[in-house]
């Protein structure tokens, strides 16, 4: 891409749609787009799920779906894998837990969690034994904090981000209260120092750890911040926390499947993530967790001597030794590694859904995905930063860090006050799917596996036209949009997003 390193404005020839089409032709991941079901513009506007036989070919034009940071698209193979699971259940019943089939790509129900962990591990830079695919993200926060947050009279604080996703804050506060402490005393919040920025610098994080190390029991941070898209320096921050003797955990909801992670090599203590965003497992899909191998060891000799022999945790039968799981004994012997932190029998159908997507990821690797992610997000940024043709300034600014290494596949665009509802309505009318964060932010996420450079070019054209149109009518009522109105209603969609 021809542009100056010191100036994000592209040369004029790089601004054409033909240039975007050329980038798509050269994209080594371009064929992965065919692995996903992209809603058509007609689908998004239809009041029914059935396809009308009267629809013409033009109605099958795909939408511009840049919302993988909220809900990833469905892989084509998902329905096939789910149907295979249902057929096994229908024809084998309980035998489906143990029987393999020559015409099915799925393992028996009993082993589907192991298969998911094996395919998930490379995505986060871990060994299979360090990953468990289980529960939901918030439940996994509680399960791991019950093990890693061990406050004392002297060391009781948790350092966390001030603008963390609400569920993280609720979980942290309830864990603190569970230990009889007051969150107002026990939480140290990291907020941006400069009012003009929405990001927290690595130096600020390190300085805060230094300041509160003597009274801190745990550091809990996001891998990628959901509002700004900032990618935190996990390696540096983890090493610094450890230099002060502090355990550290990471919420990777917006990082897993988005950025390249090396959790084992970075010596991360523990982490959790969901699978319905960049990992495309479907709404409310099953969560996952990482526990470094040093914390997952089981000392049988110590157990024989009457000692616990393993890290304290909230235990359940699915975390027990698989060889004796069905012996129904009362002596808990955990599986070594992350699997030993499992509690109950995980949903086989939910695991099947995430396996379908992980099969797609297994056909490439996170390095290749990250390369395209950086390139397509840079392209999005450069198009957005072009000044309007009439010479005035854009009615928005990007609050995501400009350095590629400090962000994932998301740009958060802060609109001028009063534009959000109208712009979202215009985007949806044109078949564009992004999401918003009130009061004025639109989040745009080009997912490398299924988004194209042409998607990005088309989005920017429609977005800029929408901004110009709404600027003149910002004080008038609009009909709103599904995404914007969903953030206001009592059903709580704004929280889910």
């Amino acid at each position: 891409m021809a542009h100056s390193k010191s100036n994000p404005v592209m040369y004029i020839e790089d601004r054409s749609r033909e240039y975007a089409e050329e980038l798509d032709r050269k994209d080594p991941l371009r064929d992965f787009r065919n692995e996903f079901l992209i809603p058509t513009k007609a689908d998004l506007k239809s009041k029914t799920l059935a396809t009308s036989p009267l629809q013409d070919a033009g109605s099958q034009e795909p939408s511009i779906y840049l919302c993988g940071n909220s809900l990833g698209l469905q892989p084509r193979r998902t329905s096939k894998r789910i149907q295979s699971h249902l057929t096994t259940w229908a024809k084998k019943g309980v035998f489906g837990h143990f029987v393999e089939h020559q015409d099915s790509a799925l393992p028996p129900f009993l082993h589907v969690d192991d298969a998911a962990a094996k395919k998930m591990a490379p995505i986060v830079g871990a060994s299979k034994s360090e990953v468990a695919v289980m529960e939901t993200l918030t439940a996994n926060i509680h399960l791991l904090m019950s093990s890693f947050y061990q406050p004392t009279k002297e060391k009781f604080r948790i350092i966390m981000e001030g603008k963390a996703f609400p569920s993280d804050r609720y979980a942290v506060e309830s864990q603190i209260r569970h230990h009889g402490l007051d969150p107002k005393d026990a939480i140290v919040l990291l907020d941006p120092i400069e009012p003009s920025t929405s990001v927290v610098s690595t130096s600020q994080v390190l300085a805060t750890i230094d300041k509160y190390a003597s009274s801190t029991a745990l550091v809990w941070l996001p891998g990628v911040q959901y509002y700004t898209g900032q990618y935190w320096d996990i390696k540096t921050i983890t090493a610094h926390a450890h230099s002060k003797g502090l355990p550290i955990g990471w919420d990777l909801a917006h990082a897993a499947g988005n950025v390249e992670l090396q959790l084992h090599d970075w010596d991360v203590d523990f982490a959790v993530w969901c699978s319905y965003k960049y990992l495309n497992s479907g709404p409310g899909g099953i969560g996952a967790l990482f526990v470094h191998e040093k914390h997952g060891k089981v000392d049988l000799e110590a157990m024989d001597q009457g000692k616990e022999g393993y890290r304290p945790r909230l235990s359940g039968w699915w975390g027990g030794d698989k060889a004796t799981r069905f012996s129904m004994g009362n002596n808990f012997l955990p599986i070594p590694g992350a699997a030993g932190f499992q509690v109950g029998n995980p949903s086989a159908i939910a695991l099947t859904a995430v396996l379908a997507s992980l099969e797609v990821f297994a056909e490439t690797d996170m390095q290749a995905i990250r390369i395209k992610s950086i390139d397509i997000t840079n392209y999005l940024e450069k198009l957005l930063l072009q000044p309007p043709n009439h010479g005035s300034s854009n009615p928005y600014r990007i609050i995501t860090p400009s350095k590629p290494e400090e962000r994932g596949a998301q740009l958060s665009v802060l609109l001028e006050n009063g534009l959000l509802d109208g712009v979202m309505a215009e985007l949806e009318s044109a078949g564009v799917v992004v999401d918003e964060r009130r009061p004025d932010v639109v989040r745009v996420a080009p997912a490398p596996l299924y988004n194209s450079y042409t998607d990005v070019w088309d989005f920017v054209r429609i977005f800029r036209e929408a901004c110009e149109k709404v600027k003149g009518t910002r004080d008038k009522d609009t009909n709103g949009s599904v995404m914007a109105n969903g953030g206001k209603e009592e059903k709580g969609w704004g929280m889910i997003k």
Side-chain angles (χ1 to χ4, degrees):
M1 187 179 298
H3 60 84
S4 167
K5 291 183 178 180
S6 61
N7 187 343
V9 177
M10 292 184 293
Y11 294 120
I12 189 68
E13 62 268 22
D14 294 352
R15 297 172 61 182
S16 67
R17 196 174 194 276
E18 290 75 17
Y19 183 74
E21 292 170 348
E22 179 63 20
L23 292 176
D24 284 332
R25 282 190 289 271
K26 295 179 178 178
D27 176 14
L29 301 183
R30 62 185 179 278
D31 290 339
F32 282 98
R33 182 177 174 89
N34 298 324
E35 291 282 344
F36 294 86
L37 295 167
I38 301 174
T40 67
K41 293 181 178 181
D43 287 336
L44 295 177
K45 295 180 180 180
S46 176
K47 300 298 183 182
T48 64
L49 293 176
T51 301
S52 170
L54 300 178
Q55 287 183 354
D56 56 28
S59 66
Q60 297 306 303
E61 181 183 358
S63 63
I64 302 170
Y65 193 93
L66 296 165
C67 205
N69 59 328
S70 186
L71 178 66
L73 290 179
Q74 182 184 138
R76 290 183 180 274
R77 63 186 76 186
T78 298
S79 59
K80 182 178 180 181
R81 296 292 181 264
I82 293 292
Q83 188 56 55
S84 179
H85 167 84
L86 294 175
T87 300
T88 303
W89 178 23
K91 292 190 173 184
K92 299 295 183 178
V94 71
F95 290 174
H97 283 87
F98 314 105
V99 179
E100 294 185 359
H101 300 94
Q102 295 178 353
D103 57 350
S104 174
L106 298 176
F109 303 156
L110 183 62
H111 304 301
V112 67
D113 55 335
D114 291 333
K118 182 178 180 179
K119 288 189 179 298
M120 184 73 79
I123 291 174
V124 296
S127 66
K128 173 183 173 294
S129 66
E130 293 175 310
V131 172
V133 184
M134 54 182 277
E135 305 294 340
T136 60
L137 189 151
T138 305
N140 288 333
I141 292 176
H142 280 295
L143 289 170
L144 292 187
M145 280 198 173
S146 71
S147 178
F148 286 89
Y149 179 54
Q150 301 289 329
T152 64
K153 184 177 180 180
E154 293 77 23
K155 297 175 73 68
F156 58 92
R157 289 193 167 99
I158 296 178
I159 297 174
M160 69 178 299
E161 175 206 2
K163 297 188 182 298
F165 193 80
S167 197
D168 288 54
R169 183 67 174 267
Y170 303 156
V172 168
E173 289 189 0
S174 62
Q175 285 285 328
I176 289 169
R177 291 191 179 98
H178 184 70
H179 287 278
L181 301 171
D182 189 337
K184 287 183 286 189
D185 300 325
I187 295 179
V188 176
L189 295 178
L190 281 160
D191 285 307
I193 295 175
E194 296 293 334
S196 60
T197 182
S198 299
V199 302
V200 176
S201 68
T202 298
S203 60
Q204 181 186 346
V205 178
L206 304 187
T208 302
I209 291 174
D210 289 342
K211 181 177 180 179
Y212 292 97
S214 63
S215 60
T216 294
L218 178 68
V219 181
W220 175 248
L221 297 172
V224 172
Q225 212 281 340
Y226 80 97
Y227 179 77
T228 64
Q230 178 188 1
Y231 179 22
W232 293 45
D233 190 342
I234 298 175
K235 179 180 179 181
T236 298
I237 297 171
T238 296
H240 194 72
H242 287 170
S243 74
K244 303 297 179 180
L246 304 179
I248 182 167
W250 294 88
D251 180 341
L252 304 178
H254 287 263
N258 177 11
V259 295
E260 200 171 0
L261 301 167
Q262 297 295 333
L263 299 186
H264 175 85
D265 291 346
W266 294 342
D267 203 26
V268 167
D269 292 302
F270 69 101
V272 300
W273 59 96
C274 57
S275 64
Y276 54 82
K277 299 180 187 297
Y278 297 98
L279 295 175
N280 315 303
S281 70
I286 196 165
L289 58 79
F290 165 90
V291 177
H292 197 280
E293 64 178 7
K294 64 186 177 184
H295 299 302
K297 295 178 180 179
V298 178
D299 188 340
L300 296 177
E301 184 176 338
M303 294 182 70
D304 288 341
Q305 297 173 1
K307 301 176 184 178
E308 196 163 39
Y310 55 87
R311 187 174 188 87
R313 68 197 67 186
L314 296 178
S315 302
W317 81 304
W318 212 257
D321 178 44
K322 187 174 287 191
T324 60
R325 181 180 289 161
F326 291 95
S327 299
M328 302 304 167
N330 290 320
N331 295 318
F332 179 69
L333 174 61
I335 301 170
F341 287 79
Q342 294 177 108
V343 180
N345 187 349
S347 166
I349 196 167
L351 285 165
T352 298
V354 75
L355 268 173
S357 179
L358 294 176
E359 288 178 13
V360 179
F361 276 85
E363 293 178 8
T364 180
D365 56 50
M366 284 307 303
Q367 183 179 24
I369 291 171
R370 179 63 170 153
I371 288 171
K372 179 179 176 181
S373 174
I374 289 173
D375 196 60
I376 198 170
T377 307
N378 285 349
Y379 181 61
L380 170 62
E381 178 188 44
K382 290 172 175 62
L383 288 177
L384 285 171
L385 291 178
Q386 292 297 314
N389 292 330
H390 49 70
S392 63
S393 60
N394 289 313
Y396 57 80
R397 64 183 177 92
I398 299 171
I399 62 173
T400 306
S402 59
K403 294 181 179 178
E405 65 272 19
E406 294 179 2
R407 65 188 183 201
Q410 173 187 322
L411 292 184
S412 295
V413 183
L414 178 66
L415 298 171
E416 289 181 358
N417 186 47
L419 295 182
L420 181 65
D421 284 357
V423 168
M424 289 295 290
E426 290 293 325
L427 293 176
E428 284 191 13
S429 178
V432 174
V433 183
V434 292
D435 80 351
E436 48 75 27
R437 281 291 179 267
R438 293 193 170 275
D440 299 304
V441 167
V442 174
R443 301 189 306 170
V444 189
L449 285 181
Y450 53 76
N451 281 128
S452 65
Y453 291 87
T454 309
D455 281 340
V456 169
W457 192 94
D458 289 339
F459 161 75
V460 173
R461 176 186 62 80
I462 295 168
F463 175 72
R464 290 165 71 95
E465 290 175 358
C467 289
E468 290 302 311
K469 180 178 179 180
V470 175
K471 274 178 68 176
T473 59
R474 75 174 76 197
D475 295 326
K476 298 180 181 179
D477 290 335
T478 68
N479 292 326
S481 68
V482 173
M483 295 296 278
N485 288 340
K488 295 183 285 188
E489 64 186 13
E490 293 180 357
K491 295 179 180 178
W493 171 234
M495 178 66 72
I496 295 172
K497 290 186 293 175

